Amino acid sequence: EIVLTQSPATLSLSPGDRATLSCRASQSIRSYLAWYQQRPGQAPRLLIYDASNRATGIPARFSGSGSGTDFTLTISTLEPEDFAVYYCQQRSNWPPLTFGGGTKVEMK
Amino acid sequence: EVQLVESGGGLVKPGGSLRLSCAASGFTFSYYNMNWVRQAPGKGLEWVSSISSSGSSIYYADSVKGRFTISRDNAKNSLYFQMNSLRAEDTAVYYCARELGDCGGGSCSSAEYFQHWGQGTLVSVSS
């Protein structure tokens, strides 16, 4: 089973700041990684797939990069609605499909 | 507009059973692989099961294998999850989720990412 480790667990930032979130895989997953955003009380929303492709309707301030074992989600300028929990997910080697433990982006 | 609406959750005793349903609309249901993903209270996301567009390929997480059964009825645009021998650790919000890409028109471009999600249904297992 591929384990995804996200860091940091919590990121305390202000609106307008740049956010950099990390996801590390226990073995190479090539570029088969997605990022999701989950706001409180809501279902997750797909942001990025195949490491760097924005999903339909996702603003350009969200970008993804990386391949192999190290991946990054960057939010260039935080908007108030971006304060949420972010998860990475791999589909390289499954079952099982696996998620990281999440990074909470909170307002400082 | 794609809509996924789960139902069937509730409070059940350990060892009991529940059947979840997911009603799909706004897309050609028979073209898409579907999944169940769960989230325990205050915890992260856990994939639990997948079913291919035709229903011919089915996968489970080890945590539910042998106890839960995924199925679909393409004529009714519905996904199901039969949950037997429920345990306290199965307590979670259960989401049905549609994959990115489709398997229609004679070819398959599906990718095991979750593009659309329902609102979730809460399953609580407690005595």
Side-chain angles (χ1 to χ4, degrees):
Chain A
E1 171 175 330
I2 294 176
V3 176
L4 298 178
T5 302
Q6 291 188 241
S7 62
T10 305
L11 204 48
S12 298
L13 296 169
S14 301
D17 285 348
R18 181 182 186 89
T20 303
L21 288 66
S22 174
C23 178
R24 177 164 289 176
S26 58
Q27 64 189 77
S28 176
I29 56 171
R30 292 171 284 177
S31 295
Y32 295 130
L33 186 97
W35 291 94
Y36 299 85
Q37 175 194 67
Q38 188 176 32
R39 296 172 177 144
Q42 295 187 15
R45 176 173 71 143
L46 178 65
L47 299 175
I48 302 286
Y49 65 94
D50 286 346
S52 60
N53 295 300
R54 267 190 306 277
T56 303
I58 300 304
R61 65 181 181 273
F62 292 93
S63 63
S65 63
S67 65
T69 60
D70 291 301
F71 300 85
T72 300
L73 174 70
T74 301
I75 311 170
S76 59
T77 306
L78 279 166
E79 299 288 340
E81 62 268 28
D82 299 336
F83 291 90
V85 180
Y86 293 83
Y87 295 95
C88 56
Q89 176 241 324
Q90 67 82 26
R91 72 171 192 98
S92 175
N93 186 0
W94 75 286
L97 296 164
T98 53
F99 290 90
T103 290
K104 182 179 182 180
V105 178
E106 66 174 21
M107 206 172 294
K108 186 187 287 185
Chain B
E1 180 194 2
V2 172
Q3 284 204 332
L4 299 169
V5 180
E6 302 95 336
S7 60
L11 175 63
V12 62
K13 290 181 167 51
S17 298
L18 276 178
R19 188 192 196 210
L20 306 184
S21 298
C22 173
S25 60
F27 64 101
T28 304
F29 181 71
S30 61
Y31 283 8
Y32 289 87
N33 299 340
M34 298 294 295
N35 295 261
W36 289 98
V37 178
R38 70 183 180 183
Q39 187 170 35
K43 302 298 185 183
L45 300 169
E46 179 189 15
W47 168 83
V48 284
S49 187
S50 293
I51 186 167
S52 63
S53 56
S54 66
S56 60
S57 296
I58 286 174
Y59 305 94
Y60 298 100
D62 286 347
S63 57
V64 305
K65 198 176 295 183
R67 300 187 297 125
F68 293 6
T69 303
I70 192 171
S71 62
R72 64 190 296 159
D73 185 336
N74 286 344
K76 294 184 177 179
N77 293 335
S78 293
L79 176 72
Y80 305 104
F81 209 33
Q82 179 65 44
M83 310 166 68
N84 298 333
S85 304
L86 281 159
R87 306 167 179 166
E89 55 265 36
D90 296 319
T91 294
V93 173
Y94 285 74
Y95 295 100
C96 85
R98 194 197 86 175
E99 286 185 10
L100 178 70
D102 66 82
C103 294
S107 65
C108 192
S109 63
S110 188
E112 296 83 8
Y113 302 123
F114 310 115
Q115 184 182 23
H116 293 282
W117 299 67
Q119 85 288 351
T121 187
L122 177 62
V123 172
S124 296
V125 185
S126 174
S127 55

